[in-house]
Amino acid sequence: MLYSKKVMEQFQKTEDYGRIENADGIGKVGNARCGDVMWIYLKIDNGIITDAKYETFGCVAAIATSSMAMKMIKGRRVEEALEVSNKAVTEALDGLPPEKMHCSVLAEEGIKAAIEDYLNKRST
Amino acid sequence: MKTQYYLDYNATTPVDPRVVERMIPFFSERFHNPSSFYHQAGEVMEELDAARVELARLAGANADELFFCGNGTESDNLAIFGTMLQDKKGHLITSAIEHAAVLNSCRQLQKDGYDLTILPVDGHGFVDPDDLRKAMRKDTRLVSIMWANNEIGSIQPVAELARIAHEHGALFHSDAVQAMGKIPVDVQSADVDFLSLSAHKMYGPKGLGLLFKRRGLHLRPLVFGGGHEKGLRPGTENTAAIVGAGEAARLVSTHMREETERVRLWRDDLQTRIEEKIPDILINGDREPRLPNTLNISIRHIEGESILALLETHGLALSSGSACSSKSLDPSHVLLALGRSHEDAHGSLRISLGRFTRREDLDHLMTHLPSTAERLRMISPFWQNRES
């Protein structure tokens, strides 16, 4: 499997993993059957994502995209984070092998799910 | 170049330098087509005959029962299609943990209208002979069950399975690609009708498969051409590879016993060390009889490709049954057949040793495997939120 340098770097040096206690939004996507599960935790203050972490069970691409996605949404407004597409994550990683594109989709879904959770919690 | 710590002998073996040395002249001064008229050609043919004798001896076969072909996959195809295609219909039986070369050949026949039974295995990777007995039918033509499994190393009761097939009037084929060179494989005592072998799993070159076909049995060829290999597999012989395979067989006959002992000790020692250092692992194919060189583990809650990628940064070369190391989404069919969950199958790691394995390869693995597992578990939601 040939990954870009950026993918490998992100995979090896990933930092934003782990849980956020009392997270404002949690998104759980993927399933173990296919080998990729991603949990996203967000801390949100005044509509701004002040912290973002992930826990991922999955391949190199899944971990690298999780990691890159956290970097891309941290410090951003919630509306901006919703705009982070799988395409943008993939581009930031200098591309993914075709059979790994679903991993980047998972990252986008994870962010959306976590924000949805945050909005739901806030409205109740 | 960075040192490679190669622990993937079940994928392929390096060609033994003594084999390479024997092969080289057949690319240059001894290039002749063995079917040609002049004496140089005849001498190449004699070398092929000698190689055939050496390989046949290793398998307990007669030289005229051994046929050269392109690779192990082709050999499996020849035995399976070559038997079944003699009739328009019929029943065949195989097991759930066969190599894709066998499993997909059988499935193709099923699509073409033949009946197929796939036998399950138990949690340790063994076919139950009683299951075979129950699956046998009047129209069962062929039973194809591997000698030893390539992923987990379980060794099947081949002699007993062959006897059951014969009692019901069927023929028996065994894919012994992974067994040969690691354990004794004898077609006489096991009484198999067809056997498939591959040179590159036993320190020979890639691109050479062998098929044993018992005297008096007929197979329908799959390719047609000149009269090579008695018309069963025509095409100009891969002379260098055949000579190399012969030398590889000679080396296996000489060294296998001593190699097996060493490798088994190291493998068992490695398993103990891994069990001591890494909590919450599963051994896949944990019972004897199993190949002495193979160790397959599931490191629970993490995924195989990630493990391989981190180990590779330290020069370690291994395999996994995770989907991500292949191109499909499903993890190893072998591990699923053992009853492993998808998650555990995705987290599997196959370590396979061989002739040139050094102690330092294993020490190097033990330097990096526990920290790799720990690192990935830190990232995994299943590990962090596991029930303790």
Side-chain angles (χ1 to χ4, degrees), chain B residues 299-372:
Chain B
I299 305 185
R300 304 195 64 211
H301 310 300
I302 58 178
E303 194 276 334
E305 190 209 70
S306 298
I307 307 173
L308 296 185
L310 279 184
L311 291 177
E312 214 222 328
T313 64
H314 302 291
L316 284 153
L318 297 89
S319 280
S320 167
S322 87
C324 292
S325 54
S326 66
K327 298 224 159 164
S328 73
L329 278 181
D330 276 327
S332 154
H333 68 285
V334 175
L335 299 182
L336 295 181
L338 297 185
R340 295 290 186 234
S341 68
H342 276 72
E343 190 198 320
D344 289 337
H346 279 299
S348 71
L349 191 64
R350 182 187 70 186
I351 305 157
S352 49
L353 289 61
R355 181 176 294 166
F356 305 110
T357 303
R358 307 155 299 175
R359 239 178 213 294
E360 65 178 285
D361 295 318
L362 307 172
D363 291 342
H364 194 69
L365 177 67
M366 286 316 296
T367 305
H368 296 290
L369 186 59
S371 55
T372 294

Side-chain angles (χ1 to χ4, degrees), chain B residues 265-282:
Chain B
L265 275 173
W266 287 5
R267 188 274 316 268
D268 290 346
D269 178 55
L270 183 68
Q271 182 176 326
T272 310
R273 287 160 81 187
I274 291 175
E275 283 173 320
E276 277 168 12
K277 292 274 186 214
I278 307 175
D280 211 0
I281 62 162
L282 303 166

Side-chain angles (χ1 to χ4, degrees), chain B residues 138-150:
Chain B
K138 267 210 177 94
D139 63 340
T140 306
R141 302 280 320 250
L142 181 70
V143 177
S144 177
I145 294 175
M146 71 200 325
W147 203 290
N149 184 266
N150 48 311

